[in-house]
Amino acid sequence: MAKTRVRSANLSSHPGSSYRIDQVVTGRVERVLPFGVFVRLSDGARAYVRRRELTQAGDLDPRRVVSEGDEIQGVVIALAEPGRNLELSVRRAEPDPWEAFARSHRVRDTVTGTVKSLTAKEVFVQVLPGVDGLIPLDELAPWPVERPDELLWVGDQVEAMITHLDGRNKRLRLSIRQQMKHQVRVREVMEFLGAGESTEEETWDAMESKPPREKGGIEPDTAEQVGRVLVVDDHEEVREPLVTWLCRQGLAADGVGTLEQALAHLQKRKYGLALVDLDLAGDDGIHFIQTLEQGAPDTRVMVMSTPEWIAQRSEELLTSGVMDAFVKPLDLDEIRHMLIRLGRGEMPTPLWSSAPRPDEGEVQASFRRLAEIMRSGLSLAARFEAGLKELVHSAQAEAGIVFHLDPDSQQVSIVVQVGRIPLNREIVYALNKSPVKDVIQEQHKVFERHVSRYAQPRFSNLLALLPFESCLGVPIFAEGKVEYALFLFHRQPEAFSRYRLRDAQAMAMLFSVALENQALERRIRDLSPFLLSGHLAAGFGHEVYNKMSGLEIQLRNLRADGKRLAREAEERLPEPRQLTELSQAIDQLLSMALDLKETVELFRELLQAEQNERVEVNEVIRRTTQLLRPTARRHQVSLELDLASDLPPITGSAVRLQQVFANLMLNAVQHTARKMTQWPDGRGRLRISTTWAVDEKRPIQVRFADNGPGIHHQLWENIFALGFSSRPGGTGLGLFIARSLVESMGGQVAVERSVIPIGTTFRVELPGSVREA
C-alpha cells in the first residue's frame, strides 16, 4: 500500500541556509520514531515532524504512516535555532478537511464514523481524518443508556444524524437516537405510499438543537480521569509556567526541580501522570522512570526533551513504559490534545511498548493471548505459527519446527517452521529415524546443549535437515495420543537453559488446545446434518401443526354443514347458495391438504439431498424463509426477499446451504428481537438479497441485512469461533457451523458491515458457474 505523502520543512544546519515560515520543502525520511519523524533535506539539513503534525488524524503512530527512505513534503512551522531543529507540518500542508466537510454537509444529514473514545457522558467519533464529532449520552439510542460502554466500544462503526455543525469553530454534534427515529418514520411513509418515493423532509420532525458549550479548559470528568500531574524539570522557566497552564486547564498539578523532590512528592500523594524532563542536571530521567514503575506503577509517564536527546535515548524509552514524548520547545496544543485523549481512555497502554521487557507478567499475558488464538477459527498451521513465533522470540532460538508423524505411513512431515536457519527439505523423508520420532512415539523430551560433542550420531538425520548445536524437543499430546512434536534449535552450544524447556512444554500445552479444538470442530461438522434436522424440525412442526389445526376446523365445519343440509334435504332441496358454499369448503380442504403434502415433501427432500447436486441458491433461500417464517413472526421480525432473477446454479449440498442460511437467519432474528424489547417503537426486519458479481472470484453473493443491535468491530471475527456467543443462553455453534459449511463448498462468510445499534449485514460468497445466456 502506498505510503501517505508528507509535506515537511527543512531544518537548517548550515549557517548560510535560510528557510521561512510556511515554506514548502521536500526531503527524505531518515528516522522514524513513535513520537515523530526526522527528515534529511536536499541540501543536507535535517528537519523534524511531530507525530500530531504528520496526519490529519493527529494520533497515528508514525511507523504506520511512513518508512525510512520515503520522500515527503511539508510546511515549515518553526525555524531552526541553536539547539533546536527546524520543524515541519504535513497536515498543515494539506487542505483543511473541515472546510470541505462543512461545505458538503448540513444539519439532518447522515454520516458514518468510527468510535475513537468514550467518557462517562459522551462518545467521540472520527467521521473523517481530522473531523471528529461528539455524541452525548442521551443521544446514543432511543432507549435509556446508563454508560456509553454498554452500547459502544472503541473501534465500532456508527451511523448518526448531524444535529449541530459549526465549521468555523470545528464543532460537530451527532445523534444516533434521532437517526434511528428518522429511519422508522421514513420506512412508515414508504410502506404507506407503497412503491412511491419517500419524502424524507416531510417525515422529519424539526428538533431544537443546541450547540455544544464552549470549553475554556479540560472538562472536569476528563481532568478527573487524568489525575494529578507532577512536572519534573530543572528549568524553572519551563516548569513553573507549565504547572500554571495545567492548573488553568482544570488539572491539579505540582512542579519539582529534582528527582529527589519528585520521589518525596510521590510518597505523599498519588499522581495520575508525571511529565519528566529527560535531561535533568546531575540526574538520569530514565532511571527515575524505572524507579516509578516499581514504586508508583499507577503513575503514567510522559517525557519532555529535545528531538535529538529523545532519539538518543529511544531504545531505553522503548522498554520503559513511557506513554508519549513531547519535544521542546513544548507545543501546548499537543499536550492538551494528549491529556484529553488520556482522560477519554484512548491510551490504556504505553504507545512505546513495542519492545516490552520479558518479565513473568508479560510471559503470562503472552500465553493468555496465545491461548485465545489456539481456540480461534484460524487454521491449525496458522495457530501453530503464531505460537511458534512467540516461543522462538522469547527463547532466543534461531529456528523452531512443529513435526507430525503420520500414524499409518510412519512418515514425518513439517507442519510449520519459523526462524532464519535454512532447511534441507529433501532429507525430511529420513526423519522417521531421528529423535523426532522418538519424542513422538516414546513421549521423551530432548534437551541437548552441545550436539557435536555428545550426541552427533543420534542426531545425524536431524543435522542433515538443518545445522545446530543446541536443541530441545517436547511431545504435543492431544486426544490421548501423540502425533506432533515441538523442537527449538540454535547453532551455538549451550544456547538453551532448562527454563526454555519449561517454556517449550507450556507452548506444547497450548498446541494441545489447538489440536483438541480442531478435533471438536471436526466432530461438530460431522454432526451438522443432525443439527440441521433439529432446526428444520422446529419450523416444520410449526407449519404442520398450523395446517393440521386449520384442517381440523374446516372438517368440523364441513361436518356441521353436512348434518344441516341432511336435515334440510328431508324437508326441501338445498338452495344453490348453500351448495356453492359446500363446494368452496371442499376446495379449501383440498388446497390445505395439498399444501400440507408439499410441506412434508419439502422436509423430506431437504434431509435426503445429495452432497454434490445442482443447487439453485434462490430456491434454497425461499425454502429456508418458508420454514423460518413462523419463528420470525413469533419474534415480530419481518422477512423480506430481494433475489436476483437469473443466478446460475452451484454444485454442492442443498442441506448444507440450507443450514448456513438457517443459522444466519436465526442469529439475525434472535438478536433483532432482543433489541426490539428495548425499543418498542422499532420494527424488526431481516432482508435477504442475492446478487451476481461477475468480476469476483466467488460471484454469487447472498446478504443478510438486519436492523438488530449490531456487532462490536472487535468481535467481527470472534463470533465465528466455536463456543463464542454474545447472546445469553447461546450455544456458540450457529455461526461456527455456518462458516465451516460455507468453506466446505469453496465459499466464504463474513460480517460485511455492522453499525451499532442500527444493524448488521452478513455476506456469503459462493463459487458459481458461467451464467447461461
Side-chain angles (χ1 to χ4, degrees):
M1 183 176 69
K3 294 287 185 179
T4 302
R5 289 190 60 79
V6 182
R7 294 184 172 176
S8 57
N10 282 330
L11 166 64
S12 174
S13 59
H14 299 81
S17 301
S18 66
Y19 294 95
R20 64 181 186 279
I21 297 295
D22 294 333
Q23 179 180 352
V24 179
V25 295
T26 302
R28 288 197 177 276
V29 175
E30 190 174 58
R31 191 173 184 187
V32 182
L33 294 169
F35 62 86
V37 175
F38 288 92
V39 179
R40 179 74 66 178
L41 303 178
S42 56
D43 63 354
R46 297 182 72 220
Y48 173 69
V49 184
R50 299 172 188 256
R51 181 178 63 223
R52 70 184 299 263
E53 297 295 337
L54 195 57
T55 64
Q56 294 292 348
D59 55 1
L60 296 180
D61 189 326
R63 294 170 292 187
R64 295 172 51 193
V65 180
V66 296
S67 300
E68 293 181 5
D70 285 357
E71 183 178 276
I72 61 176
Q73 290 184 327
V75 172
V76 177
I77 58 174
L79 299 176
E81 297 177 359
R84 173 179 174 179
N85 278 341
L86 191 74
E87 288 196 34
L88 313 174
S89 172
V90 175
R91 68 178 183 88
R92 298 190 195 184
E94 298 174 347
D96 186 350
W98 268 98
E99 295 179 2
F101 182 82
R103 285 196 304 268
S104 59
H105 292 80
R106 60 187 179 90
V107 171
R108 305 180 191 175
D109 281 355
T110 298
V111 294
T112 59
T114 303
V115 176
K116 288 183 63 178
S117 61
L118 311 171
T119 69
K121 298 180 180 179
E122 299 165 324
V123 173
F124 294 86
V125 176
Q126 178 178 289
V127 179
L128 295 171
V131 178
D132 293 347
L134 179 149
I135 307 177
L137 180 65
D138 57 0
E139 295 295 333
L140 288 179
W143 56 85
V145 178
E146 293 185 3
R147 301 191 320 272
D149 59 1
E150 291 179 358
L151 187 69
L152 296 169
W153 294 358
V154 172
D156 284 344
Q157 296 180 8
V158 297
E159 182 177 286
M161 179 177 290
I162 297 176
T163 59
H164 176 79
L165 175 58
D166 181 357
R168 176 174 297 180
N169 295 307
K170 300 183 179 180
R171 305 281 186 179
L172 177 65
R173 177 170 286 194
L174 306 170
S175 172
I176 298 176
R177 181 179 68 87
Q178 292 292 343
Q179 175 67 12
M180 293 178 68
K181 290 175 62 178
H182 182 53
Q183 288 178 341
V184 170
R185 288 191 290 266
V186 170
R187 183 168 182 82
E188 288 174 349
V189 170
M190 292 181 67
E191 290 177 352
F192 176 77
L193 297 176
E197 297 180 354
S198 64
T199 55
E200 295 193 9
E201 289 297 326
E202 294 177 5
T203 63
W204 168 259
D205 290 339
M207 65 180 180
E208 186 176 349
S209 174
K210 297 181 180 179
R213 64 182 179 86
E214 294 291 331
K215 302 174 184 178
I218 296 174
E219 293 186 355
D221 289 344
T222 303
E224 184 179 352
Q225 292 297 318
V226 173
R228 196 175 190 90
V229 181
L230 179 63
V231 178
V232 185
D233 196 310
D234 58 349
H235 293 87
E236 185 176 355
E237 63 274 16
V238 174
R239 182 180 70 249
E240 295 305 322
L242 181 56
V243 170
T244 301
W245 179 82
L246 288 168
C247 292
R248 289 178 178 176
Q249 294 299 307
L251 295 160
D254 301 310
V256 295
T258 67
L259 298 185
E260 183 179 357
Q261 294 172 343
L263 292 172
H265 273 67
L266 286 164
Q267 291 175 356
K268 294 179 181 178
R269 62 178 19 151
K270 181 179 179 180
Y271 287 89
L273 175 65
L275 293 173
V276 182
D277 181 14
L278 284 181
D279 188 17
L280 294 169
D283 287 316
D284 184 5
I286 295 291
H287 177 70
F288 172 69
I289 293 169
Q290 294 170 348
T291 303
L292 276 184
E293 290 183 338
Q294 301 298 323
D298 294 333
T299 301
R300 294 157 292 195
V301 180
M302 299 183 184
V303 298
M304 308 176 290
S305 194
T306 62
E308 290 80 9
W309 189 254
I310 295 175
Q312 183 179 342
R313 307 296 297 273
S314 62
E315 294 301 322
E316 297 167 277
L317 289 172
L318 285 170
T319 60
S320 66
V322 169
M323 297 194 73
D324 208 344
F326 299 117
V327 175
K328 290 185 175 181
L330 297 174
D331 183 334
L332 295 182
D333 288 338
E334 181 180 17
I335 296 177
R336 184 177 184 276
H337 175 71
M338 195 57 61
L339 290 171
I340 292 174
R341 289 182 57 216
L342 186 62
R344 293 175 182 172
E346 289 186 42
M347 300 172 60
T349 57
L351 294 179
W352 283 63
S353 58
S354 61
R357 288 181 300 220
D359 57 25
E360 285 299 317
E362 282 296 325
V363 171
Q364 293 175 5
S366 172
F367 273 86
R368 283 196 298 270
R369 183 175 65 254
L370 287 171
E372 292 299 321
I373 294 176
M374 296 306 145
R375 291 192 293 266
S376 71
L378 296 174
S379 67
L380 183 66
R383 297 182 225 183
F384 280 178
E385 183 176 11
L388 197 57
K389 284 181 178 178
E390 187 79 21
L391 181 62
V392 167
H393 173 73
S394 62
Q396 298 181 343
E398 288 188 314
I401 301 176
V402 174
F403 295 99
H404 176 245
L405 176 66
D406 186 271
D408 296 323
S409 67
Q410 293 295 296
Q411 290 298 309
V412 174
S413 62
I414 295 175
V415 180
V416 63
Q417 177 254 335
V418 171
R420 57 180 182 270
I421 303 180
L423 303 183
N424 177 17
R425 290 186 174 269
E426 294 181 358
I427 205 65
V428 171
Y429 73 92
L431 294 180
N432 58 352
K433 297 179 181 179
S434 74
V436 172
K437 187 175 182 181
D438 299 338
V439 169
I440 294 176
Q441 287 193 331
E442 305 298 330
Q443 289 92 59
H444 293 162
K445 295 185 288 291
V446 168
F447 183 73
E448 293 293 342
R449 305 181 67 181
H450 208 312
V451 170
S452 62
R453 179 179 298 177
Y454 301 112
Q456 187 164 2
R458 180 188 173 201
F459 284 83
S460 58
N461 285 346
L462 199 52
L463 285 166
L465 177 70
L466 76 167
F468 63 91
E469 282 291 338
S470 299
C471 167
L472 59 85
V474 294
I476 303 173
F477 292 84
E479 297 187 277
K481 57 187 178 181
V482 176
E483 294 182 7
Y484 296 84
L486 166 62
F487 276 74
L488 293 181
F489 303 94
H490 202 291
R491 285 172 287 194
Q492 295 297 321
E494 300 184 356
F496 303 132
S497 67
R498 288 284 177 181
Y499 293 105
R500 298 309 180 193
L501 183 61
R502 179 202 62 182
D503 292 343
Q505 289 176 295
M507 187 60 67
M509 292 178 62
L510 290 180
F511 287 169
S512 296
V513 172
L515 289 168
E516 294 282 0
N517 199 67
Q518 183 189 54
L520 179 58
E521 291 172 2
R522 184 172 59 251
R523 294 191 191 102
I524 292 294
R525 280 193 289 268
D526 292 340
L527 289 172
S528 291
F530 299 101
L531 295 172
L532 172 61
S533 300
H535 285 315
L536 295 183
F540 168 77
H542 195 90
E543 285 293 308
V544 170
Y545 294 149
N546 279 340
K547 297 180 190 305
M548 291 292 289
S549 297
L551 187 60
E552 180 184 359
I553 294 171
Q554 290 277 27
L555 286 171
R556 288 180 182 274
N557 291 337
L558 183 60
R559 184 176 62 181
D561 288 342
K563 290 181 178 180
R564 178 175 53 81
L565 290 174
R567 288 195 303 269
E568 293 178 356
E570 295 177 356
E571 303 174 359
R572 56 184 176 82
L573 292 174
E575 297 180 3
R577 176 181 59 81
Q578 294 174 327
L579 294 175
T580 301
E581 291 176 351
L582 183 60
S583 176
Q584 290 175 345
I586 294 173
D587 288 341
Q588 290 176 356
L589 284 173
L590 179 60
S591 176
M592 187 171 295
L594 292 174
D595 195 10
L596 181 59
K597 179 182 177 182
E598 181 181 345
T599 301
V600 173
E601 183 66 18
L602 169 63
F603 187 73
R604 187 189 64 79
E605 289 176 1
L606 287 173
L607 294 183
Q608 296 180 355
E610 297 293 334
Q611 299 300 309
N612 290 292
E613 58 183 334
R614 180 185 174 95
V615 179
E616 297 288 348
V617 175
N618 284 346
E619 184 59 28
V620 175
I621 292 174
R622 293 188 184 97
R623 292 182 175 187
T624 311
T625 303
Q626 180 180 346
L627 289 174
L628 294 183
R629 197 175 294 279
T631 301
R633 189 182 301 116
R634 189 166 60 251
H635 286 87
Q636 298 182 338
V637 176
S638 65
L639 302 181
E640 304 173 0
L641 299 183
D642 181 14
L643 308 180
S645 60
D646 54 352
L647 283 186
I650 66 170
T651 300
S653 165
V655 169
R656 293 188 178 190
L657 197 59
Q658 176 81 35
Q659 179 159 359
V660 171
F661 295 161
N663 287 359
L664 290 171
M665 292 171 67
L666 283 169
N667 179 76
V669 167
Q670 291 165 348
H671 282 279
T672 301
R674 286 181 57 210
K675 171 182 168 181
M676 296 309 154
T677 60
Q678 296 178 291
W679 188 27
D681 293 337
R683 299 174 60 184
R685 184 179 72 259
L686 172 60
R687 183 173 182 269
I688 304 102
S689 62
T690 57
T691 56
W692 170 264
V694 65
D695 295 327
E696 298 295 330
K697 181 180 179 181
R698 301 174 183 87
I700 295 180
Q701 300 188 350
V702 186
R703 288 175 172 81
F704 300 82
D706 64 56
N707 65 338
I711 301 169
H712 295 300
H713 189 267
Q714 297 176 26
L715 302 181
W716 282 16
E717 189 62 28
N718 294 0
I719 59 175
F720 293 100
L722 177 62
F724 183 91
S725 178
S726 59
R727 181 173 57 87
T731 63
L733 293 175
L735 294 180
F736 166 76
I737 291 172
R739 169 168 282 186
S740 299
L741 294 180
V742 166
E743 291 178 350
S744 73
M745 293 183 284
Q748 287 184 346
V749 58
V751 177
E752 181 177 56
R753 184 172 184 262
S754 189
V755 179
I756 293 180
I758 290 177
T760 298
T761 300
F762 283 86
R763 184 182 70 245
V764 175
E765 298 178 352
L766 298 167
S769 56
V770 179
R771 185 159 50 181
E772 297 177 0

